Amino acid sequence: NAGVTQTPKFRVLKTGQSMTLLCAQDMNHEYMYWYRQDPGMGLRLIHYSVGEGTTAKGEVPDGYNVSRLKKQNFLLGLESAAPSQTSVYFCASSSSRNQPQHFGDGTRLSIL
Amino acid sequence: SQQGEEDPQALSIQEGENATMNCSYKTSINNLQWYRQNSGRGLVHLILIRSNEREKHSGRLRVTLDTSKKSSSLLITASRAADTASYFCATGPGGSYIPTFGRGTSLIVHP
Protein backbone atom coordinates (compact mmCIF):
# COMPACT_ATOMS: atom_id res chain seq x y z
CA ASN A 1 0.00 0.00 0.00
CA ALA A 2 1.87 3.08 -1.25
CA GLY A 3 -0.69 5.69 -0.10
CA VAL A 4 0.76 9.11 -0.92
CA THR A 5 4.18 9.28 -2.54
CA GLN A 6 6.20 12.45 -2.91
CA THR A 7 9.11 12.93 -5.31
CA PRO A 8 11.85 13.99 -4.71
CA LYS A 9 12.55 13.59 -0.98
CA PHE A 10 15.33 16.19 -0.91
CA ARG A 11 16.42 18.95 -3.24
CA VAL A 12 18.77 21.92 -3.16
CA LEU A 13 18.14 24.76 -5.58
CA LYS A 14 19.77 28.05 -6.38
CA THR A 15 17.76 31.26 -6.26
CA GLY A 16 15.90 31.75 -9.52
CA GLN A 17 15.83 28.10 -10.54
CA SER A 18 12.57 26.33 -11.19
CA MET A 19 11.40 22.89 -10.20
CA THR A 20 8.33 20.69 -9.88
CA LEU A 21 7.37 18.55 -6.92
CA LEU A 22 5.31 15.49 -7.71
CA CYS A 23 2.64 13.93 -5.52
CA ALA A 24 0.94 10.66 -6.39
CA GLN A 25 -1.86 8.87 -4.52
CA ASP A 26 -3.30 5.44 -5.14
CA MET A 27 -6.46 5.72 -3.01
CA ASN A 28 -8.71 7.24 -5.69
CA HIS A 29 -9.14 10.36 -3.53
CA GLU A 30 -10.85 13.40 -4.98
CA TYR A 31 -9.14 15.98 -2.79
CA MET A 32 -5.42 16.71 -2.82
CA TYR A 33 -3.44 19.34 -0.95
CA TRP A 34 0.00 20.93 -0.84
CA TYR A 35 1.28 22.32 2.48
CA ARG A 36 4.50 23.84 3.65
CA GLN A 37 5.80 23.33 7.17
CA ASP A 38 8.17 25.81 8.73
CA PRO A 39 9.48 25.85 12.33
CA GLY A 40 6.96 27.46 14.65
CA MET A 41 4.42 27.97 11.86
CA GLY A 42 2.70 24.62 11.71
CA LEU A 43 1.22 23.50 8.41
CA ARG A 44 0.11 26.14 5.95
CA LEU A 45 -2.00 25.30 2.92
CA ILE A 46 -0.50 26.42 -0.40
CA HIS A 47 -2.97 25.10 -2.98
CA TYR A 48 -5.52 22.35 -3.13
CA SER A 49 -7.66 20.49 -5.63
CA VAL A 50 -11.20 19.13 -5.29
CA GLY A 51 -10.96 16.89 -8.32
CA GLU A 52 -9.21 16.22 -11.61
CA GLY A 53 -8.69 19.42 -13.58
CA THR A 54 -9.42 21.74 -10.63
CA THR A 55 -7.14 23.81 -8.42
CA ALA A 56 -7.71 26.46 -5.77
CA LYS A 57 -5.56 28.81 -3.70
CA GLY A 58 -4.87 28.18 -0.06
CA GLU A 59 -3.40 30.41 2.62
CA VAL A 60 0.04 31.00 1.06
CA PRO A 61 -0.21 30.54 -2.74
CA ASP A 62 2.18 33.27 -3.94
CA GLY A 63 5.23 31.99 -5.83
CA TYR A 64 3.69 28.56 -6.49
CA ASN A 65 1.61 27.01 -9.24
CA VAL A 66 -0.16 23.66 -9.32
CA SER A 67 -1.74 21.31 -11.80
CA ARG A 68 -4.03 18.28 -11.49
CA LEU A 69 -4.17 16.79 -14.97
CA LYS A 70 -4.77 13.28 -13.64
CA LYS A 71 -6.80 12.36 -10.58
CA GLN A 72 -3.92 10.52 -8.94
CA ASN A 73 -1.29 13.25 -9.42
CA PHE A 74 -0.92 16.75 -8.01
CA LEU A 75 2.10 18.80 -9.10
CA LEU A 76 3.54 21.80 -7.29
CA GLY A 77 5.74 24.15 -9.29
CA LEU A 78 8.16 26.85 -8.25
CA GLU A 79 8.82 29.06 -11.27
CA SER A 80 11.61 31.18 -9.76
CA ALA A 81 12.75 29.82 -6.41
CA ALA A 82 13.46 32.23 -3.55
CA PRO A 83 15.24 31.57 -0.22
CA SER A 84 11.91 32.22 1.56
CA GLN A 85 10.59 29.06 -0.07
CA THR A 86 13.08 26.91 1.82
CA SER A 87 10.76 24.57 3.70
CA VAL A 88 9.42 21.06 4.04
CA TYR A 89 6.58 20.46 1.59
CA PHE A 90 3.86 17.93 2.31
CA CYS A 91 1.25 16.56 -0.01
CA ALA A 92 -1.97 15.03 1.29
CA SER A 93 -5.15 13.54 -0.08
CA SER A 94 -8.63 12.83 1.24
CA SER A 95 -11.87 11.34 -0.03
CA SER A 96 -13.80 14.51 0.77
CA ARG A 97 -13.31 17.91 2.38
CA ASN A 98 -13.84 16.98 6.03
CA GLN A 99 -12.50 13.42 5.94
CA PRO A 100 -9.07 12.41 7.28
CA GLN A 101 -6.12 13.43 5.17
CA HIS A 102 -3.38 10.99 4.21
CA PHE A 103 0.07 12.52 4.04
CA GLY A 104 3.26 11.78 2.17
CA ASP A 105 6.59 11.92 3.98
CA GLY A 106 7.54 15.30 2.60
CA THR A 107 10.05 16.97 0.32
CA ARG A 108 12.83 18.89 2.03
CA LEU A 109 13.69 21.83 -0.18
CA SER A 110 16.58 24.22 0.39
CA ILE A 111 17.06 27.30 -1.75
CA LEU A 112 20.42 28.98 -1.61
CA SER B 1 -4.03 32.13 10.13
CA GLN B 2 -4.69 28.96 12.08
CA GLN B 3 -8.23 28.11 13.05
CA GLY B 4 -7.06 25.75 15.79
CA GLU B 5 -4.31 26.32 18.30
CA GLU B 6 -2.74 23.61 20.45
CA ASP B 7 -1.65 24.05 24.03
CA PRO B 8 0.91 23.53 25.46
CA GLN B 9 3.51 24.06 22.74
CA ALA B 10 5.76 21.48 24.39
CA LEU B 11 5.20 18.73 26.93
CA SER B 12 7.78 16.49 28.58
CA ILE B 13 6.72 13.49 30.69
CA GLN B 14 7.96 10.14 31.95
CA GLU B 15 6.93 6.84 30.44
CA GLY B 16 3.76 5.56 32.06
CA GLU B 17 2.34 9.02 32.78
CA ASN B 18 -0.68 10.45 31.02
CA ALA B 19 -0.29 13.25 28.46
CA THR B 20 -2.99 15.84 27.85
CA MET B 21 -2.94 18.43 25.12
CA ASN B 22 -5.61 20.91 24.17
CA CYS B 23 -6.90 22.56 21.03
CA SER B 24 -8.91 25.77 20.93
CA TYR B 25 -10.63 27.09 17.84
CA LYS B 26 -12.47 30.22 16.81
CA THR B 27 -15.52 29.42 14.70
CA SER B 28 -18.15 26.68 14.70
CA ILE B 29 -16.91 23.41 13.25
CA ASN B 30 -18.12 20.40 11.33
CA ASN B 31 -15.61 18.11 12.95
CA LEU B 32 -12.21 18.19 14.64
CA GLN B 33 -9.33 15.87 13.84
CA TRP B 34 -6.15 14.97 15.68
CA TYR B 35 -2.95 13.96 13.90
CA ARG B 36 0.48 12.75 15.00
CA GLN B 37 3.78 13.57 13.28
CA ASN B 38 6.91 11.63 14.05
CA SER B 39 10.21 13.34 13.37
CA GLY B 40 10.98 13.47 9.66
CA ARG B 41 7.67 11.94 8.63
CA GLY B 42 4.28 13.06 7.38
CA LEU B 43 1.21 13.49 9.58
CA VAL B 44 -0.82 10.45 10.51
CA HIS B 45 -4.52 10.71 11.31
CA LEU B 46 -5.49 9.59 14.84
CA ILE B 47 -9.11 10.45 15.57
CA LEU B 48 -11.98 12.42 14.04
CA ILE B 49 -14.71 13.69 16.36
CA ARG B 50 -17.88 15.22 14.96
CA SER B 51 -19.45 18.38 16.32
CA ASN B 52 -22.37 16.42 17.81
CA GLU B 53 -20.04 14.06 19.71
CA ARG B 54 -18.58 14.79 23.14
CA GLU B 55 -16.06 12.00 23.59
CA LYS B 56 -14.30 9.39 21.51
CA HIS B 57 -11.82 6.64 22.30
CA SER B 58 -9.24 4.77 20.27
CA GLY B 59 -6.94 2.44 22.18
CA ARG B 60 -4.97 4.60 24.64
CA LEU B 61 -6.32 7.80 23.08
CA ARG B 62 -9.29 9.73 24.41
CA VAL B 63 -10.58 12.85 22.70
CA THR B 64 -13.17 15.20 24.14
CA LEU B 65 -14.95 18.06 22.43
CA ASP B 66 -16.68 20.99 24.10
CA THR B 67 -18.34 23.07 21.41
CA SER B 68 -19.60 25.63 23.95
CA LYS B 69 -16.00 26.41 24.89
CA LYS B 70 -14.70 25.81 21.36
CA SER B 71 -12.07 23.43 22.65
CA SER B 72 -10.92 19.83 22.43
CA SER B 73 -8.47 17.75 24.40
CA LEU B 74 -6.40 14.71 23.48
CA LEU B 75 -5.44 12.40 26.33
CA ILE B 76 -2.81 9.70 25.84
CA THR B 77 -2.88 7.27 28.75
CA ALA B 78 0.10 5.27 29.98
CA SER B 79 2.48 7.04 27.60
CA ARG B 80 5.32 5.18 25.93
CA ALA B 81 8.60 6.44 24.51
CA ALA B 82 7.16 5.64 21.05
CA ASP B 83 4.47 8.30 21.64
CA THR B 84 7.18 10.96 21.30
CA ALA B 85 5.96 13.09 18.40
CA SER B 86 4.19 16.32 17.54
CA TYR B 87 0.41 16.35 17.77
CA PHE B 88 -1.81 18.60 15.68
CA CYS B 89 -5.48 19.40 15.66
CA ALA B 90 -7.27 20.27 12.44
CA THR B 91 -10.55 22.12 12.45
CA GLY B 92 -12.85 23.24 9.72
CA PRO B 93 -16.00 25.31 9.81
CA GLY B 94 -17.58 22.99 7.31
CA GLY B 95 -19.29 24.20 4.20
CA SER B 96 -16.78 25.03 1.48
CA TYR B 97 -13.81 25.50 3.80
CA ILE B 98 -10.73 23.30 4.00
CA PRO B 99 -9.75 22.28 7.56
CA THR B 100 -6.74 24.15 8.92
CA PHE B 101 -3.99 22.87 11.22
CA GLY B 102 -2.64 24.39 14.40
CA ARG B 103 1.06 24.76 15.23
CA GLY B 104 1.14 21.54 17.20
CA THR B 105 2.20 20.25 20.61
CA SER B 106 5.62 18.63 20.81
CA LEU B 107 5.45 15.66 23.20
CA ILE B 108 8.57 14.00 24.59
CA VAL B 109 8.14 10.81 26.60
CA HIS B 110 11.25 9.86 28.55
CA PRO B 111 11.91 6.13 29.03
Side-chain angles (χ1 to χ4, degrees):
Chain A
N1 292 335
V4 176
T5 303
Q6 293 184 231
T7 309
K9 295 190 183 334
F10 303 93
R11 186 73 184 266
V12 178
L13 289 178
K14 294 182 179 178
T15 298
Q17 288 185 320
S18 63
M19 79 161 295
T20 300
L21 280 64
L22 173 64
C23 177
Q25 54 97 2
D26 62 1
M27 295 168 283
N28 202 36
H29 285 167
E30 291 293 337
Y31 286 69
M32 295 188 75
Y33 316 84
W34 275 108
Y35 294 93
R36 61 178 290 173
Q37 186 175 35
D38 303 292
M41 297 298 293
L43 280 168
R44 292 184 292 171
L45 182 65
I46 304 171
H47 286 280
Y48 65 98
S49 168
V50 302
E52 181 178 314
T54 75
T55 63
K57 294 180 180 179
E59 182 185 354
V60 288
D62 294 343
Y64 305 95
N65 56 75
V66 288
S67 64
R68 183 110 181 257
L69 299 179
K70 293 183 178 180
K71 186 177 184 178
Q72 64 267 34
N73 296 335
F74 196 28
L75 278 62
L76 177 71
L78 285 74
E79 290 185 347
S80 180
S84 61
Q85 294 177 304
T86 292
S87 187
V88 181
Y89 292 85
F90 287 98
C91 176
S93 70
S94 65
S95 58
S96 67
R97 191 179 303 271
N98 281 305
Q99 289 303 302
Q101 296 183 25
H102 298 254
F103 283 78
D105 277 337
T107 294
R108 282 141 189 86
L109 183 61
S110 292
I111 299 162
L112 307 177
Chain B
S1 61
Q2 274 83 9
Q3 152 81 319
E5 289 294 341
E6 296 87 349
D7 174 71
Q9 290 186 351
L11 183 59
S12 180
I13 61 174
Q14 295 295 127
E15 208 165 33
E17 295 179 339
N18 294 342
T20 300
M21 51 207 86
N22 304 295
C23 173
S24 59
Y25 56 92
K26 298 173 184 175
T27 65
S28 61
I29 58 171
N30 181 285
N31 65 41
L32 186 146
Q33 303 173 42
W34 284 94
Y35 290 78
R36 182 188 75 235
Q37 183 181 32
N38 291 96
S39 180
R41 303 298 300 275
L43 278 69
V44 174
H45 181 261
L46 297 175
I47 287 185
L48 182 153
I49 186 165
R50 293 183 171 78
S51 58
N52 61 353
E53 297 176 311
R54 292 297 168 257
E55 188 170 312
K56 207 161 182 180
H57 296 256
S58 177
R60 294 183 295 110
L61 306 181
R62 172 177 169 251
V63 168
T64 61
L65 179 64
D66 187 335
T67 53
S68 66
K69 295 181 179 178
K70 292 186 170 58
S71 68
S72 173
S73 67
L74 170 66
L75 168 67
I76 304 174
T77 59
S79 296
R80 304 167 181 168
D83 294 326
T84 293
S86 292
Y87 292 82
F88 295 85
C89 67
T91 58
S96 61
Y97 293 95
I98 300 293
T100 57
F101 290 81
R103 290 184 170 87
T105 291
S106 174
L107 172 66
I108 297 175
V109 181
H110 299 278

